[in-house]
Amino acid sequence: MKKLLLLLLIFCSQISFSQKKIIDTIASQKLKGDREIIIGLPPSYDKNKSQTYPMLLLFDGDFLFDAFNGALSYGYYWDDLPEVIIVGISQNKNDERETDCKIDETNGLPTETGEDFFEFIGMELIPTIQKNYRVAPFRIAAGLDVTAAFMNCYLYKETPIFNAFISLSPELATGMEDQVPERIAAIQKPLFYYHSIAEGDVKKMRDRTIKMDQEIKKISKPTLNYLFEDFKGTSHYSMVLHAIPSALYQIFSVYQPISTAEFNDKIVKLESGYVEYLKKKYEVLEQQFGLKLQIRINDFKAIEAAIMKNKAYNEFDELAQLAEKSYPKTMLHDYEMALMYEMKGDNAKAVRYYMNAFQLAEVGDLTKDMMINRADELKASLPKKGKKGEKVQETPVEEVPADAPAETPSETPTEEKKSE
């Protein structure tokens, strides 16, 4: 019975955090006919009407859709990856991928039916998705072998229509091992490029991809986020299941909650600007990926820990202002202010802020009991009246009735498992 309940919970959680799958067709003038597409909408799509989502366009969508959907659903569950809109192109029902990806053997550029398919993506498919769904400007393309090579052709445009590329065991067209690095070096806007090969890939494919990797690694510029992986002990097809999560975590690394590694390697080493670091983290998510997110409580706690460790107590004031903006009507703002005054030795003011926090809504792991206990502990340290009528100056502290009404807590994200 226990096993049955566990399986039921797992099944329900997978439903809660999986994409809503839609099979549709697009009437294409470029392709002179209809083309089937598979659309995956994020779990929160119908609930969060104001949110836009990055778009992941999958060549070979027939078999890559479920693989990417599984990795993304797992990432959603742990709040490690953002929700995205997946668009998979059907290319394998009648072996369309061969005609879709037709490339001139002399120059490595799309030709004939390949040129039509190239224009179908940019002039018909993407505009249709933009019209019908809330997609953010950030677009990712992904493909395997022939389709992985074909999508490189979008790098040859002065302003590529994709911001990120996931190339799985590419079967490179003529000259691509030299041309792709040249184009990556010339592109000015921020670019993510991930490619991988398998130990079981044919030697010619491996050699050319490794050569391309060596050339790209010579490029040094802050706008390029690049990763190449050579998976040992894998075949051409099994490698895909290793590469997909690796690629997604590379592209969306800034999305993840502040980890121990990020805290130790980046944040705590700063001389100042801990709150600014937190602000920029979420500004990047909005500006680059189109994701407007509420700052996680655990990220507040990480910055709080960095301030404490480096004794930069004045930054608690700025952190409190950010808390007021992110979690209004909760105790987070007053708690941060109380910490600042406590650390600076002004216990009277700290007590007042702890008592104010007690009256507000709980949030994260901050509770009313915690606030009243901290206030009581600090009250004991305040000056008392002297003997024989002699008074010692004492700062008055407002008492708050224990049964003071509290506002309803607002819903907040945490690193715990999410539920629908």
Side-chain angles (χ1 to χ4, degrees):
M1 185 65 181
K2 289 182 179 179
K3 289 183 179 178
L4 181 61
L5 288 173
L6 179 60
L7 289 172
L8 181 61
L9 286 171
I10 293 172
F11 177 72
C12 290
S13 68
Q14 287 175 338
I15 292 175
S16 299
F17 290 94
S18 62
Q19 304 279 130
K20 177 182 178 182
K21 195 172 180 179
I22 301 170
I23 308 296
D24 202 354
T25 57
I26 288 185
S28 170
Q29 293 183 354
K30 295 293 180 181
L31 302 181
K32 300 177 178 61
D34 293 343
R35 178 58 62 94
E36 182 181 276
I37 60 172
I38 311 163
I39 301 169
L41 297 180
S44 71
Y45 189 83
D46 292 331
K47 296 178 182 178
N48 194 347
K49 300 293 186 180
S50 62
Q51 181 65 276
T52 60
Y53 302 86
M55 184 177 78
L56 170 60
L57 180 65
L58 301 177
F59 296 84
D60 286 320
D62 321 63
F63 56 81
L64 286 182
F65 184 95
D66 286 340
F68 272 91
N69 182 39
L72 285 163
S73 295
Y74 184 84
Y76 301 159
Y77 184 80
W78 296 109
D79 197 24
D80 271 352
L81 294 173
E83 294 180 319
V84 305
I85 292 176
I86 306 176
V87 180
I89 308 170
S90 178
Q91 294 183 270
N92 290 272
K93 283 185 167 49
N94 298 296
D95 206 22
E96 297 97 334
R97 75 196 308 255
E98 297 301 324
T99 53
D100 286 346
C101 300
K102 189 171 184 179
I103 288 179
D104 191 309
E105 294 183 2
T106 61
N107 59 24
L109 297 175
T111 185
E112 301 176 9
T113 54
E115 186 174 2
D116 292 337
F117 182 69
F118 182 90
E119 292 179 349
F120 160 72
I121 298 294
M123 299 173 66
E124 295 179 329
L125 176 58
I126 291 178
T128 298
I129 299 300
Q130 288 176 321
K131 179 181 177 181
N132 295 318
Y133 300 97
R134 299 193 308 274
V135 290
F138 190 85
R139 305 188 196 107
I140 309 166
L144 174 68
D145 53 57
V146 172
T147 59
F150 183 84
M151 70 181 186
N152 281 325
C153 295
Y154 291 96
L155 288 168
Y156 297 166
K157 297 180 72 68
E158 184 174 350
T159 304
I161 60 175
F162 296 107
N163 308 86
F165 293 78
I166 300 175
S167 174
L168 308 169
S169 286
E171 192 172 325
L172 296 175
T174 302
M176 276 191 175
E177 61 265 51
D178 297 314
Q179 294 166 358
V180 169
E182 289 174 1
R183 287 302 307 146
I184 288 176
I187 293 169
Q188 297 300 311
K189 73 174 188 177
L191 181 71
F192 296 80
Y193 195 92
Y194 173 93
H195 65 139
S196 59
I197 55 173
E199 186 176 31
D201 280 330
V202 297
K203 187 176 186 303
K204 184 178 180 181
M205 285 177 60
R206 284 181 53 82
D207 290 346
R208 296 183 66 203
T209 305
I210 290 171
K211 180 183 176 184
M212 188 172 79
D213 167 60
Q214 293 170 344
E215 293 302 312
I216 296 176
K217 281 179 177 172
K218 295 176 183 177
I219 302 170
S220 177
K221 59 179 183 178
T223 55
L224 175 62
N225 187 321
Y226 173 73
L227 179 62
F228 168 71
E229 293 185 290
D230 185 352
F231 290 97
K232 305 301 179 184
T234 61
S235 68
H236 180 70
Y237 297 107
S238 68
M239 178 276 302
V240 171
L241 295 179
H242 295 268
I244 287 174
S246 185
L248 292 172
Y249 273 80
Q250 176 224 356
I251 293 170
F252 293 117
S253 60
V254 71
Y255 175 86
Q256 297 164 44
I258 293 173
S259 64
T260 301
E262 184 178 2
F263 179 82
N264 291 328
D265 298 341
K266 296 181 179 180
I267 301 174
V268 81
K269 291 182 178 180
L270 296 172
E271 294 183 1
S272 62
Y274 310 103
V275 180
E276 188 62 27
Y277 180 97
L278 182 61
K279 288 179 181 177
K280 286 183 178 179
K281 179 181 178 73
Y282 283 83
E283 285 172 2
V284 168
L285 289 174
E286 183 173 359
Q287 295 169 4
Q288 188 161 282
F289 301 111
L291 297 168
K292 190 170 185 177
L293 305 175
Q294 187 178 35
I295 299 175
R296 301 173 181 93
I297 288 292
N298 285 327
D299 287 350
F300 268 102
K301 301 297 287 184
I303 299 304
E304 175 189 308
I307 292 172
M308 295 282 281
K309 188 175 181 66
N310 291 287
K311 299 180 180 180
Y313 304 135
N314 286 334
E315 288 212 22
F316 273 124
D317 194 345
E318 187 179 358
L319 188 63
Q321 304 314 311
L322 187 60
E324 180 68 20
K325 181 179 178 182
S326 302
Y327 293 92
K329 300 182 181 180
T330 73
M331 58 178 61
L332 187 57
H333 167 274
D334 290 80
Y335 167 73
E336 301 294 0
M337 293 297 293
L339 271 184
M340 179 179 73
Y341 285 115
E342 181 180 354
M343 293 301 104
K344 294 171 76 170
D346 192 339
N347 289 351
K349 286 185 179 179
V351 168
R352 283 203 293 273
Y353 274 106
Y354 280 127
M355 298 301 287
N356 287 342
F358 173 82
Q359 301 176 76
L360 300 172
E362 295 180 345
V363 60
D365 62 355
L366 302 180
T367 66
K368 292 180 177 294
D369 285 345
M370 182 190 303
M371 299 304 117
I372 200 69
N373 289 338
R374 290 300 303 139
D376 286 345
E377 289 175 13
L378 292 181
K379 281 181 187 177
S381 68
L382 296 178
K384 308 298 182 184
K385 289 184 178 181
K387 295 181 181 180
K388 297 180 180 180
E390 182 182 344
K391 292 186 178 181
V392 178
Q393 184 176 359
E394 179 178 350
T395 305
V397 177
E398 293 183 16
E399 293 289 343
V400 180
D403 59 351
E407 299 191 37
T408 303
S410 59
E411 184 177 343
T412 59
T414 69
E415 286 191 29
E416 299 297 320
K417 294 181 180 180
K418 299 186 288 185
S419 60
E420 289 295 319

